[in-house]
PDB file of all heavy atoms in Angstrom:
ATOM      1  N   PRO A 233      51.136 -20.300 206.356  1.00  0.00           N
ATOM      2  CA  PRO A 233      51.888 -19.151 205.859  1.00  0.00           C
ATOM      3  C   PRO A 233      52.609 -18.401 206.972  1.00  0.00           C
ATOM      4  O   PRO A 233      52.232 -18.453 208.127  1.00  0.00           O
ATOM      5  CB  PRO A 233      50.803 -18.267 205.234  1.00  0.00           C
ATOM      6  CG  PRO A 233      49.623 -19.150 205.055  1.00  0.00           C
ATOM      7  CD  PRO A 233      49.712 -20.177 206.138  1.00  0.00           C
ATOM      8  N   ASP A 234      53.624 -17.688 206.565  1.00  0.00           N
ATOM      9  CA  ASP A 234      54.373 -16.837 207.473  1.00  0.00           C
ATOM     10  C   ASP A 234      53.466 -15.711 207.967  1.00  0.00           C
ATOM     11  O   ASP A 234      52.752 -15.098 207.179  1.00  0.00           O
ATOM     12  CB  ASP A 234      55.567 -16.251 206.716  1.00  0.00           C
ATOM     13  CG  ASP A 234      56.562 -15.593 207.641  1.00  0.00           C
ATOM     14  OD1 ASP A 234      56.164 -14.638 208.322  1.00  0.00           O
ATOM     15  OD2 ASP A 234      57.718 -16.031 207.653  1.00  0.00           O
ATOM     16  N   PRO A 235      53.470 -15.405 209.268  1.00  0.00           N
ATOM     17  CA  PRO A 235      52.584 -14.357 209.772  1.00  0.00           C
ATOM     18  C   PRO A 235      52.913 -12.982 209.211  1.00  0.00           C
ATOM     19  O   PRO A 235      52.080 -12.084 209.220  1.00  0.00           O
ATOM     20  CB  PRO A 235      52.828 -14.400 211.287  1.00  0.00           C
ATOM     21  CG  PRO A 235      54.164 -15.027 211.446  1.00  0.00           C
ATOM     22  CD  PRO A 235      54.286 -16.007 210.320  1.00  0.00           C
ATOM     23  N   ASP A 236      54.135 -12.803 208.715  1.00  0.00           N
ATOM     24  CA  ASP A 236      54.512 -11.514 208.142  1.00  0.00           C
ATOM     25  C   ASP A 236      54.040 -11.362 206.700  1.00  0.00           C
ATOM     26  O   ASP A 236      54.167 -10.300 206.110  1.00  0.00           O
ATOM     27  CB  ASP A 236      56.036 -11.345 208.190  1.00  0.00           C
ATOM     28  CG  ASP A 236      56.536 -11.295 209.619  1.00  0.00           C
ATOM     29  OD1 ASP A 236      55.804 -10.791 210.481  1.00  0.00           O
ATOM     30  OD2 ASP A 236      57.655 -11.774 209.848  1.00  0.00           O
ATOM     31  N   TYR A 237      53.503 -12.450 206.140  1.00  0.00           N
ATOM     32  CA  TYR A 237      53.046 -12.380 204.750  1.00  0.00           C
ATOM     33  C   TYR A 237      51.792 -13.221 204.622  1.00  0.00           C
ATOM     34  O   TYR A 237      51.841 -14.378 204.256  1.00  0.00           O
ATOM     35  CB  TYR A 237      54.123 -12.868 203.788  1.00  0.00           C
ATOM     36  CG  TYR A 237      53.903 -12.318 202.400  1.00  0.00           C
ATOM     37  CD1 TYR A 237      54.418 -11.080 202.048  1.00  0.00           C
ATOM     38  CD2 TYR A 237      53.137 -13.008 201.465  1.00  0.00           C
ATOM     39  CE1 TYR A 237      54.196 -10.555 200.793  1.00  0.00           C
ATOM     40  CE2 TYR A 237      52.917 -12.482 200.211  1.00  0.00           C
ATOM     41  CZ  TYR A 237      53.448 -11.255 199.874  1.00  0.00           C
ATOM     42  OH  TYR A 237      53.221 -10.735 198.637  1.00  0.00           O
ATOM     43  N   PRO A 238      50.613 -12.655 204.928  1.00  0.00           N
ATOM     44  CA  PRO A 238      49.380 -13.433 205.008  1.00  0.00           C
ATOM     45  C   PRO A 238      49.017 -14.084 203.683  1.00  0.00           C
ATOM     46  O   PRO A 238      49.229 -13.524 202.616  1.00  0.00           O
ATOM     47  CB  PRO A 238      48.328 -12.395 205.415  1.00  0.00           C
ATOM     48  CG  PRO A 238      49.100 -11.251 205.959  1.00  0.00           C
ATOM     49  CD  PRO A 238      50.412 -11.247 205.252  1.00  0.00           C
ATOM     50  N   TYR A 239      48.448 -15.269 203.804  1.00  0.00           N
ATOM     51  CA  TYR A 239      47.973 -15.987 202.625  1.00  0.00           C
ATOM     52  C   TYR A 239      46.697 -15.342 202.099  1.00  0.00           C
ATOM     53  O   TYR A 239      45.787 -15.036 202.841  1.00  0.00           O
ATOM     54  CB  TYR A 239      47.699 -17.444 202.977  1.00  0.00           C
ATOM     55  CG  TYR A 239      46.993 -18.211 201.877  1.00  0.00           C
ATOM     56  CD1 TYR A 239      47.678 -18.555 200.724  1.00  0.00           C
ATOM     57  CD2 TYR A 239      45.658 -18.558 201.997  1.00  0.00           C
ATOM     58  CE1 TYR A 239      47.044 -19.253 199.708  1.00  0.00           C
ATOM     59  CE2 TYR A 239      45.017 -19.254 200.986  1.00  0.00           C
ATOM     60  CZ  TYR A 239      45.718 -19.598 199.846  1.00  0.00           C
ATOM     61  OH  TYR A 239      45.084 -20.281 198.845  1.00  0.00           O
ATOM     62  N   VAL A 240      46.638 -15.117 200.812  1.00  0.00           N
ATOM     63  CA  VAL A 240      45.440 -14.588 200.171  1.00  0.00           C
ATOM     64  C   VAL A 240      45.071 -15.527 199.038  1.00  0.00           C
ATOM     65  O   VAL A 240      45.870 -15.780 198.147  1.00  0.00           O
ATOM     66  CB  VAL A 240      45.690 -13.171 199.603  1.00  0.00           C
ATOM     67  CG1 VAL A 240      44.435 -12.657 198.908  1.00  0.00           C
ATOM     68  CG2 VAL A 240      46.104 -12.221 200.710  1.00  0.00           C
ATOM     69  N   HIS A 241      43.872 -16.061 199.066  1.00  0.00           N
ATOM     70  CA  HIS A 241      43.468 -16.984 198.013  1.00  0.00           C
ATOM     71  C   HIS A 241      43.384 -16.253 196.682  1.00  0.00           C
ATOM     72  O   HIS A 241      42.920 -15.124 196.585  1.00  0.00           O
ATOM     73  CB  HIS A 241      42.118 -17.619 198.348  1.00  0.00           C
ATOM     74  CG  HIS A 241      41.807 -18.794 197.462  1.00  0.00           C
ATOM     75  ND1 HIS A 241      41.280 -18.650 196.209  1.00  0.00           N
ATOM     76  CD2 HIS A 241      41.989 -20.119 197.661  1.00  0.00           C
ATOM     77  CE1 HIS A 241      41.123 -19.845 195.660  1.00  0.00           C
ATOM     78  NE2 HIS A 241      41.540 -20.748 196.519  1.00  0.00           N
ATOM     79  N   SER A 242      43.828 -16.931 195.636  1.00  0.00           N
ATOM     80  CA  SER A 242      43.983 -16.283 194.338  1.00  0.00           C
ATOM     81  C   SER A 242      42.676 -15.790 193.743  1.00  0.00           C
ATOM     82  O   SER A 242      42.674 -14.917 192.882  1.00  0.00           O
ATOM     83  CB  SER A 242      44.644 -17.262 193.363  1.00  0.00           C
ATOM     84  OG  SER A 242      43.857 -18.423 193.213  1.00  0.00           O
ATOM     85  N   MET A 243      41.546 -16.333 194.171  1.00  0.00           N
ATOM     86  CA  MET A 243      40.282 -15.951 193.546  1.00  0.00           C
ATOM     87  C   MET A 243      39.521 -14.902 194.352  1.00  0.00           C
ATOM     88  O   MET A 243      38.412 -14.528 194.004  1.00  0.00           O
ATOM     89  CB  MET A 243      39.400 -17.194 193.379  1.00  0.00           C
ATOM     90  CG  MET A 243      40.042 -18.306 192.548  1.00  0.00           C
ATOM     91  SD  MET A 243      40.630 -17.739 190.937  1.00  0.00           S
ATOM     92  CE  MET A 243      39.084 -17.349 190.150  1.00  0.00           C
ATOM     93  N   MET A 244      40.122 -14.397 195.421  1.00  0.00           N
ATOM     94  CA  MET A 244      39.377 -13.515 196.310  1.00  0.00           C
ATOM     95  C   MET A 244      39.482 -12.044 195.942  1.00  0.00           C
ATOM     96  O   MET A 244      38.623 -11.247 196.283  1.00  0.00           O
ATOM     97  CB  MET A 244      39.851 -13.714 197.751  1.00  0.00           C
ATOM     98  CG  MET A 244      39.474 -15.060 198.335  1.00  0.00           C
ATOM     99  SD  MET A 244      40.175 -15.317 199.968  1.00  0.00           S
ATOM    100  CE  MET A 244      39.423 -14.000 200.895  1.00  0.00           C
ATOM    101  N   VAL A 245      40.554 -11.654 195.255  1.00  0.00           N
ATOM    102  CA  VAL A 245      40.793 -10.232 195.023  1.00  0.00           C
ATOM    103  C   VAL A 245      41.237 -10.006 193.584  1.00  0.00           C
ATOM    104  O   VAL A 245      41.716 -10.922 192.915  1.00  0.00           O
ATOM    105  CB  VAL A 245      41.878  -9.706 195.987  1.00  0.00           C
ATOM    106  CG1 VAL A 245      41.374  -9.717 197.412  1.00  0.00           C
ATOM    107  CG2 VAL A 245      43.149 -10.528 195.879  1.00  0.00           C
ATOM    108  N   PRO A 246      41.111  -8.770 193.065  1.00  0.00           N
ATOM    109  CA  PRO A 246      41.555  -8.473 191.698  1.00  0.00           C
ATOM    110  C   PRO A 246      43.054  -8.676 191.538  1.00  0.00           C
ATOM    111  O   PRO A 246      43.822  -8.544 192.488  1.00  0.00           O
ATOM    112  CB  PRO A 246      41.178  -6.998 191.532  1.00  0.00           C
ATOM    113  CG  PRO A 246      40.156  -6.730 192.573  1.00  0.00           C
ATOM    114  CD  PRO A 246      40.475  -7.632 193.715  1.00  0.00           C
ATOM    115  N   SER A 247      43.460  -8.959 190.303  1.00  0.00           N
ATOM    116  CA  SER A 247      44.867  -9.207 190.020  1.00  0.00           C
ATOM    117  C   SER A 247      45.527  -7.950 189.458  1.00  0.00           C
ATOM    118  O   SER A 247      44.880  -7.115 188.823  1.00  0.00           O
ATOM    119  CB  SER A 247      44.993 -10.345 189.012  1.00  0.00           C
ATOM    120  OG  SER A 247      46.346 -10.629 188.738  1.00  0.00           O
ATOM    121  N   THR A 248      46.827  -7.834 189.684  1.00  0.00           N
ATOM    122  CA  THR A 248      47.585  -6.731 189.104  1.00  0.00           C
ATOM    123  C   THR A 248      47.839  -7.005 187.627  1.00  0.00           C
ATOM    124  O   THR A 248      47.680  -8.127 187.142  1.00  0.00           O
ATOM    125  CB  THR A 248      48.932  -6.573 189.821  1.00  0.00           C
ATOM    126  OG1 THR A 248      49.690  -7.774 189.650  1.00  0.00           O
ATOM    127  CG2 THR A 248      48.726  -6.312 191.304  1.00  0.00           C
ATOM    128  N   ALA A 249      48.279  -5.973 186.923  1.00  0.00           N
ATOM    129  CA  ALA A 249      48.538  -6.118 185.488  1.00  0.00           C
ATOM    130  C   ALA A 249      49.782  -6.949 185.218  1.00  0.00           C
ATOM    131  O   ALA A 249      49.860  -7.660 184.219  1.00  0.00           O
ATOM    132  CB  ALA A 249      48.675  -4.732 184.857  1.00  0.00           C
ATOM    133  N   VAL A 250      50.771  -6.857 186.118  1.00  0.00           N
ATOM    134  CA  VAL A 250      52.026  -7.586 185.927  1.00  0.00           C
ATOM    135  C   VAL A 250      51.884  -8.965 186.567  1.00  0.00           C
ATOM    136  O   VAL A 250      52.189  -9.168 187.741  1.00  0.00           O
ATOM    137  CB  VAL A 250      53.211  -6.821 186.546  1.00  0.00           C
ATOM    138  CG1 VAL A 250      54.518  -7.557 186.275  1.00  0.00           C
ATOM    139  CG2 VAL A 250      53.273  -5.411 185.990  1.00  0.00           C
ATOM    140  N   CYS A 251      51.386  -9.909 185.774  1.00  0.00           N
ATOM    141  CA  CYS A 251      51.101 -11.240 186.302  1.00  0.00           C
ATOM    142  C   CYS A 251      50.936 -12.188 185.125  1.00  0.00           C
ATOM    143  O   CYS A 251      50.517 -11.768 184.030  1.00  0.00           O
ATOM    144  CB  CYS A 251      49.808 -11.203 187.129  1.00  0.00           C
ATOM    145  SG  CYS A 251      49.506 -12.686 188.123  1.00  0.00           S
ATOM    146  N   ALA A 252      51.278 -13.451 185.303  1.00  0.00           N
ATOM    147  CA  ALA A 252      50.977 -14.436 184.268  1.00  0.00           C
ATOM    148  C   ALA A 252      49.467 -14.458 184.055  1.00  0.00           C
ATOM    149  O   ALA A 252      48.705 -14.450 185.028  1.00  0.00           O
ATOM    150  CB  ALA A 252      51.481 -15.809 184.695  1.00  0.00           C
TER     151      ALA A 252
END
Side-chain angles (χ1 to χ4, degrees):
D234 192 299
D236 296 327
Y237 202 87
Y239 171 72
V240 179
H241 193 278
S242 60
M243 302 307 293
M244 291 175 62
V245 292
S247 181
T248 61
V250 183
C251 192

